[in-house]
Amino acid sequence: MSFAFNALRATAVSILIVDDERLNRATLAELLQPHYQVLLAKNGKSALEIVRNERSHLGLVLLDVSMPGMDGYEVLRQLRAEESTAHIPVIFITGQSDEAAEEYGLRLGAADYVSKPIRPAVLQARVKHQIDLFLRKRELEHLALADGLTGLANRRHFDEALDHIHRRCQRSGEYLGLALIDIDHFKQFNDHYGHLQGDDALRAVAQAMRQHAQRAGDLAARYGGEEFAFVNMGSKETMPQLAENFRQAIVNLGISHQGSPMGQLTISAGVVVCRPQLSSSLSDLLNHADQLLYQAKTQGRNRIQLRVLE
């Protein structure tokens, strides 16, 4: 599961060309490389391996129907049988003119057919159409999981990611780090400066969070209102250091806050690090973090309260 929250650009989209004839692969690659990243496979087995490894950036598969060993139909069946690859569009490249074969491929889930010999303008137009559809779908998925004000992951995305990481750490024995974060005295900030500046402050905090959630598996989210959350997996030192670096980064922003005893915008955080057991629950983990956040507030704010659960 990927937690990156970046807009998908056309130049970041990969297209996989699968054909057992080297000349055919080279011809298709030459047509598409000016616009897309092109991957090549010479048979069905290697095609499936590439798709599984590159699926997060793979926008389209151009698949030859007639290949020795595993034909294009079988490759498509296997792609559609796996949840992680079922959504990737496939265009069949075929020298067959049999309507029944084309109908069969479309029923299996092919998005389109292109006949050999290849007409460059037709191929490029059909590829562009499929990539445009892919990008629009990804953008809609992004919007459904993003907080509209800050651009961070929203609460729905956070809940799904935390559940995924928790179950993965239960299986692997890796450490899970969770931080619940609150902007100190934020109601007073809004009362003094107004909600427009309050929104600007939330966006500034979110940008600082984004800069600190750079590792694979890190997720920064808006938890609700002026509350934020980090979740990651790794060593037991990672999350405490990440949270403290973030706290200091907010201090370094120097955002004036006349409604706070500190005179500037600060945050408090409750941080839990654990190796989840099979019997442990997410609700217990969240309750621990919430209690620690409460302690950080009652002990003066602008601080991190940490608990490591072995």
Side-chain angles (χ1 to χ4, degrees):
M1 182 174 187
S2 174
F3 308 125
F5 238 64
N6 301 314
L8 189 64
R9 307 184 311 275
T11 53
V13 177
S14 297
I15 295 177
L16 173 62
I17 298 170
V18 188
D19 198 302
D20 61 309
E21 294 289 339
R22 182 183 178 191
L23 179 60
N24 291 339
R25 295 196 302 272
T27 300
L28 293 171
E30 185 177 354
L31 288 172
L32 299 174
Q33 276 177 335
H35 308 289
Y36 309 100
Q37 295 179 0
V38 173
L39 305 172
L40 302 174
K42 63 181 180 180
N43 56 51
K45 181 181 178 181
S46 61
L48 291 172
E49 291 176 355
I50 292 172
V51 171
R52 288 162 185 152
N53 290 330
E54 302 290 336
R55 60 183 180 272
S56 60
H57 297 293
L58 193 60
L60 180 64
V61 177
L62 295 179
L63 181 58
D64 186 24
V65 173
S66 300
M67 296 185 293
M70 183 186 300
D71 66 14
Y73 296 133
E74 181 57 28
V75 173
L76 182 57
R77 282 193 202 93
Q78 294 198 31
L79 291 177
R80 293 295 176 261
E82 295 185 24
E83 183 180 356
S84 62
T85 61
H87 65 286
I88 299 171
V90 172
I91 294 179
F92 272 135
I93 306 292
T94 179
Q96 301 174 4
S97 58
D98 185 355
E99 291 184 4
E102 181 175 345
E103 181 183 344
Y104 178 63
L106 294 172
R107 285 204 312 271
L108 285 177
D112 203 349
Y113 258 78
V114 173
S115 298
K116 297 177 182 177
I118 298 296
R119 290 180 291 166
V122 172
L123 175 74
Q124 290 170 334
R126 294 190 176 186
V127 166
K128 183 178 184 302
H129 175 67
Q130 292 300 325
I131 293 296
D132 287 346
L133 290 176
F134 172 78
L135 290 170
R136 284 200 290 270
K137 181 182 177 183
R138 286 291 295 268
E139 181 62 20
L140 289 172
E141 291 172 349
H142 171 84
L143 291 173
L145 297 175
D147 174 64
L149 177 66
T150 66
L152 294 179
N154 62 17
R155 178 65 179 272
R156 172 189 164 193
H157 189 191
F158 171 79
D159 288 342
E160 292 175 355
L162 179 60
D163 179 66
H164 175 84
I165 292 175
H166 186 258
R167 286 186 284 108
R168 177 171 168 177
C169 290
Q170 283 178 320
R171 295 190 300 269
S172 67
E174 293 174 271
Y175 281 98
L176 181 154
L178 170 66
L180 294 184
I181 299 156
D182 192 67
I183 300 178
D184 296 327
H185 304 290
F186 193 67
K187 180 181 183 304
Q188 291 86 338
F189 187 95
N190 275 333
D191 290 344
H192 185 83
Y193 297 100
H195 287 277
L196 290 179
Q197 279 194 252
D199 288 349
D200 287 342
L202 289 171
R203 282 190 283 262
V205 170
Q207 178 59 26
M209 287 192 76
R210 192 176 292 109
Q211 292 171 355
H212 284 78
Q214 297 293 323
R215 301 183 326 133
D218 288 351
L219 180 71
R222 189 179 181 195
Y223 197 62
E226 70 273 20
E227 294 181 320
F228 295 84
F230 272 127
V231 61
N232 72 4
M233 55 194 300
S235 72
K236 63 181 177 181
E237 292 83 15
T238 301
M239 180 55 79
Q241 189 61 58
L242 176 64
E244 175 55 29
N245 290 346
F246 173 59
R247 185 201 65 79
Q248 187 59 52
I250 300 305
V251 171
N252 293 343
L253 289 176
I255 299 173
S256 179
H257 185 353
Q258 295 305 310
S260 167
M262 272 72 76
Q264 67 178 90
L265 201 73
T266 58
I267 61 101
S268 299
V271 176
V272 177
V273 178
C274 66
R275 293 166 107 170
Q277 304 299 311
L278 292 176
S279 59
S280 65
S281 70
L282 273 181
S283 60
D284 288 341
L285 185 65
L286 287 163
N287 285 336
H288 277 305
D290 194 52
Q291 290 167 13
L292 292 166
L293 174 58
Y294 178 76
Q295 291 175 23
K297 291 179 180 180
T298 57
Q299 292 177 17
R301 304 179 193 256
N302 188 27
R303 66 187 62 224
I304 306 299
Q305 198 70 22
L306 168 68
R307 182 178 298 163
V308 178
L309 304 174
E310 294 290 358

